[in-house]
Amino acid sequence: MIVMKFGGTSVEDAKAIGRATEIVRGRLKEHPVVVVSALAKVTDQLLAIARSAATGDSKTALQLVEAFSQRHYEVAGELLAPARFTQLREDLGRDLGALNDLLRGISAVGELTPRTTDQVAAYGEILSSKIVAAAFSTRGLDSCLVDARACTVTDANYMRAAPLIDDTNERLQKLVAPLVDKGCVPVMGGFIGASKAGVTTTLGRGGSDYSAALVGAGLSAERIEIWTDVDGMLTTDPGICSNARRIEVLSFDEAAELAYFGAKVLHPATVLPAIQKNIPVYVLNSRNPTCEGTKITARAPKSRHMFKAIAVKKGITIVDVAAPRWLQLDGFLKWIVDAFARHSVSVDVISTSEVSLSVTVDTNEGIPSLTAELAKLADVKYEERKAIVCLVGENLRRTPGVAARVFRELEDVKIHMISQGASEINLTFVIAEEDVARVVERLHRAFFSDRVSDMAA
Ligand code: ADP
Ligand code: ASP
Ligand code: MG
């Protein structure tokens, strides 16, 4: 049994869903379970609609829903024969009616809570999974729709819910495994789940990859395939550097670091369930399905290159906290860590000196209240519009002189912070956002221009 996850662009319209159908057909012998994202951009639209409803502007929200509904009806209409379309249209119409009611409610109270945000956002995957399941059946695949909210059990931490693994596994075994056994292709939405009390939750943005990995681990899949719009995990973000190239093999650790530090192609938590059951994950291109993509596995063969990829995370703020002289360093660190936790601000990169601490955070939320609290005892400054650049590869562990070679390339660039993670497979530094393009271009040229293959020579 395998899990195949199709991201937003891989189900963005009727053509894309047609391509996904053929990709699944080609793997029927391997008993696929299919996990789908919302149609491309739909989650962004739903969140914008919810926000506009919360301002009391239900008219704009309902107009936006109208356009959004049309898109889904059109895609379904293109894929399905008239009788099946009429049936599905009624079903989708009920969901869209419920969405409208919800938006009217949000507009009436003028407040958007994380809980209602998730209820709205979930409609993307609710609708897409219904359309994809119907399209599969119309094209001769024996498919069955599974409501992800019945399978993915999470805590009630709305907008960033954590899965409850044992409950989820139990539901998957009960609801999905029998469908696979009888030769059917289950289709379910990624990203969404429900708390034990049955209230809709989401796993956080980009969470469909994570859903796929949870399903794969729960059903002990032979592999998990993440179908997207690029040839695999690339040596860097193709939006920043057009020379980015496919990486053939990555270790779980390397992939996790890359995802955590900004390689959006994979949700950072995706590899965790895969590691636990040692299930290989493949990143593949639904527009170029014969390309072998990237294989992510427990152990990657030794690369001839110093590192495998450069990840970039923009929108970073550096917070500098200087301690008053009379405070002991250990007490000072504890006090700061507690303050960050109290304000729910999580930290990526840290560097310290005897009397000061610099940390990066990837959110602006909570920063004003956090800095106000810290300022009671220490000097606090923060600088926005920074970016983390993270070089990743198992070879960093054993190659001396890497940092010297990297920073020699960047002599004229202001480096705000440097860190080498305890995992020793990353070298991370912080620069201004406006320096990202030239830094990545330069490092890519210096370290990847001779690159023929990722495998050892
Ligand atoms: P999906 O909708 O299939 O989940 P995403 O948009 O979430 O797709 O992720 C795919 C995108 O991630 C690519 O189109 C690419 O622009 C971006 N990306 C950023 N860094 C990388 C990287 N290192 N390798 C591949 N893609 C990357
Ligand atoms: N549709 C969700 C999002 O855009 C989940 C996903 O696509 O992975 O965040
Ligand atoms: Mg994604």
Side-chain angles (χ1 to χ4, degrees), residues 134-407:
F136 282 4
S137 314
T138 298
R139 290 166 184 230
L141 303 186
D142 184 7
S143 78
C144 32
L145 178 72
V146 174
D147 188 337
R149 292 165 298 178
C151 301
T152 311
V153 188
T154 72
D155 64 13
N157 186 12
Y158 301 106
M159 298 176 74
R160 240 201 162 104
L164 304 177
I165 302 293
D166 291 342
D167 297 281
T168 300
N169 290 350
E170 207 182 297
R171 303 274 187 99
L172 288 166
Q173 285 302 337
K174 196 168 136 210
L175 300 172
V176 183
L179 300 174
V180 179
D181 289 343
K182 70 173 208 217
C184 169
V185 180
V187 176
M188 59 193 277
F191 178 55
I192 59 177
S195 64
K196 272 190 165 173
V199 182
T200 302
T201 55
T202 68
L203 301 176
R205 295 306 307 272
S208 292
D209 303 328
Y210 191 18
S211 300
L214 292 168
V215 173
L219 297 173
S220 303
E222 278 148 48
R223 65 175 188 277
I224 297 159
E225 297 183 346
I226 306 292
W227 289 87
T228 184
D229 60 352
V230 284
D231 275 347
M233 288 196 89
L234 308 179
T235 46
T236 190
D237 183 339
I240 296 175
C241 176
S242 54
N243 295 328
R245 287 189 228 161
R246 176 171 70 95
I247 305 166
E248 290 163 19
V249 195
L250 280 171
S251 68
F252 285 134
D253 290 345
E254 289 171 332
E257 296 271 0
L258 282 175
Y260 183 75
F261 284 110
K264 172 189 173 220
V265 63
L266 213 58
H267 182 280
T270 310
V271 292
L272 292 177
I275 291 175
Q276 275 151 12
K277 289 260 178 105
N278 198 14
I279 303 171
V281 177
Y282 290 76
V283 180
L284 297 153
N285 189 349
S286 65
R287 294 187 181 141
N288 183 18
T290 52
C291 174
E292 283 170 17
T294 299
K295 180 178 183 183
I296 304 166
T297 178
R299 251 183 243 216
K302 201 163 165 283
S303 163
R304 354 182 235 114
H305 294 270
M306 201 130 65
F307 51 87
K308 286 202 178 154
I310 309 168
V312 178
K313 197 163 160 184
K314 292 189 188 169
I316 298 294
T317 300
I318 300 180
V319 182
D320 291 315
V321 192
R325 293 271 159 201
W326 49 266
L327 205 70
Q328 294 287 318
L329 182 66
D330 48 356
F332 171 59
L333 288 178
K334 182 172 183 315
W335 172 68
I336 293 179
V337 170
D338 289 349
F340 273 81
R342 263 199 309 284
H343 292 268
S344 305
V345 175
S346 61
V347 165
D348 286 329
V349 182
I350 304 185
S351 74
T352 58
S353 77
E354 187 201 347
V355 290
S356 74
L357 179 89
S358 299
V359 301
T360 67
V361 297
D362 66 359
T363 164
N364 294 329
E365 267 170 54
I367 300 278
S369 59
L370 168 70
T371 48
E373 180 177 338
L374 294 175
K376 286 182 197 155
L377 269 189
D379 280 337
V380 189
K381 283 191 305 208
Y382 65 97
E383 284 183 273
E384 296 174 324
R385 287 194 292 282
K386 299 287 175 282
I388 294 177
V389 178
C390 177
L391 314 179
V392 174
E394 302 271 0
N395 281 355
L396 289 177
R397 209 176 259 155
R398 38 196 170 233
T399 322
V402 176
R405 275 209 54 198
V406 167
F407 293 117

Side-chain angles (χ1 to χ4, degrees), residues 77-128:
E78 256 185 78
L79 289 162
L80 307 178
R84 183 73 187 90
F85 174 59
T86 310
Q87 229 178 16
L88 184 69
R89 199 189 149 97
E90 262 174 42
D91 191 3
L92 301 184
R94 277 190 294 275
D95 290 327
L96 291 161
L99 172 60
N100 275 334
D101 291 344
L102 185 58
L103 292 168
R104 280 199 197 91
I106 292 171
S107 171
V109 292
E111 191 194 6
L112 184 63
T113 62
R115 178 176 159 144
T116 38
T117 302
D118 274 358
Q119 267 179 288
V120 173
Y123 278 97
E125 274 72 9
I126 293 173
L127 299 175
S128 68

Side-chain angles (χ1 to χ4, degrees), residues 5-9 36-44 47 121 124-125 190-192 204-211 264 267:
K5 176 258 171 176
F6 292 91
T9 43
V36 291
S37 287
L39 274 52
K41 309 227 163 69
V42 156
T43 309
D44 287 337
L47 294 173
E125 274 72 9
F191 178 55
I192 59 177
R205 295 306 307 272
S208 292
D209 303 328
Y210 191 18
S211 300
K264 172 189 173 220
H267 182 280

